[in-house]
Amino acid sequence: YCGYAAIMMAATLEEPNDGPAYKIFSVEAVEQHARVARSMIELAGLQDKIQVLLLDLAVGSMTVSQLLRGAMEDDGKDCKDGSASRADFVFIDHDKSLYLPDLRELEANRLIGKATHVAADNVIFAGIDDYRDYVKTLANDGVVETTLETSYVEYSQAERQSNSVQTDVLRDGIELTVYLK
């Protein structure tokens, strides 16, 4: 909610020499979080690389796909043949109950397709089994390749107390998926 993941990605990515510049769209659902994220992004000097989008969650409002499609069009990210471009990479780390519905919406609106990489964070700790089952089904059907990279919940660590180790580390994982079709 403060733009941390977008900042870390943008700070890590290099501009391609032979292709178009990248743009990161960070979607927030709370105005205050969007303001904080914009401030942090500006402080990091990455406002040209990251655009924070505010998703209005009111009934009947714009969907994630509509919001992203509009931002991509405004940024000139349409393909030369007139078709809208797809996302190269999607990082999912928001309301855990919306991982699967939002992924399926992005698929249905063709914002995700062949060669799109999707990383879904916190899938073990938050028990996001419907999402994991869905991408496993896609993998069985040859639509994606997917792997679970296990890790630990952010900011949890083992602490050493005298000669023993007190473990307060919480197991987690990130599901990494690549679309083949």
Side-chain angles (χ1 to χ4, degrees):
Y1 65 92
C2 68
Y4 178 78
I7 290 168
M8 294 307 293
M9 284 183 237
T12 303
L13 291 171
E14 294 181 18
E15 283 294 333
N17 292 328
D18 57 350
Y22 69 87
K23 183 74 165 213
I24 295 173
F25 298 103
S26 178
V27 178
E28 294 291 345
V30 177
E31 175 65 40
Q32 181 179 356
H33 295 171
R35 280 195 305 272
V36 170
R38 287 184 188 110
S39 295
M40 297 301 289
I41 290 162
E42 188 172 326
L43 183 64
L46 294 167
Q47 62 274 14
D48 292 339
K49 300 290 174 205
I50 305 168
Q51 181 179 347
V52 177
L53 306 173
L54 182 62
L55 180 64
D56 183 358
L57 296 177
V59 175
S61 64
M62 190 175 289
T63 67
V64 171
S65 293
Q66 291 168 330
L67 182 66
L68 286 173
R69 174 84 66 217
M72 291 169 82
E73 289 171 359
D74 290 347
D75 200 55
K77 299 295 182 198
D78 286 341
C79 295
K80 290 183 172 55
D81 66 2
S83 64
S85 61
R86 292 187 173 126
D88 296 316
F89 177 76
V90 176
F91 180 64
I92 303 174
D93 187 20
H94 62 305
D95 182 326
K96 307 314 181 201
S97 69
L98 295 177
Y99 276 33
L100 181 55
D102 285 348
L103 178 74
R104 293 187 75 168
E105 177 195 329
L106 293 170
E107 288 173 338
N109 287 284
R110 297 173 40 185
L111 284 165
I112 290 178
K114 185 175 183 179
T116 299
H117 293 248
V118 179
D121 203 12
N122 307 119
V123 294
I124 293 175
F125 180 72
I128 310 174
D129 297 328
D130 63 339
Y131 179 92
R132 294 199 59 230
D133 291 342
Y134 177 74
V135 294
K136 285 179 195 173
T137 299
L138 292 179
N140 290 337
D141 293 342
V143 176
V144 303
E145 289 180 350
T146 192
T147 58
L148 174 67
E149 293 294 328
T150 57
S151 62
Y152 300 98
V153 173
E154 301 95 346
Y155 317 113
S156 68
Q157 61 186 1
E159 296 181 16
R160 180 167 289 285
Q161 293 182 350
S162 62
N163 290 333
S164 66
V165 175
Q166 175 188 354
T167 305
D168 66 350
V169 178
L170 303 172
R171 188 169 175 268
D172 199 3
I174 185 167
E175 188 79 30
L176 302 173
T177 305
V178 180
Y179 281 73
L180 305 174
K181 300 178 180 181

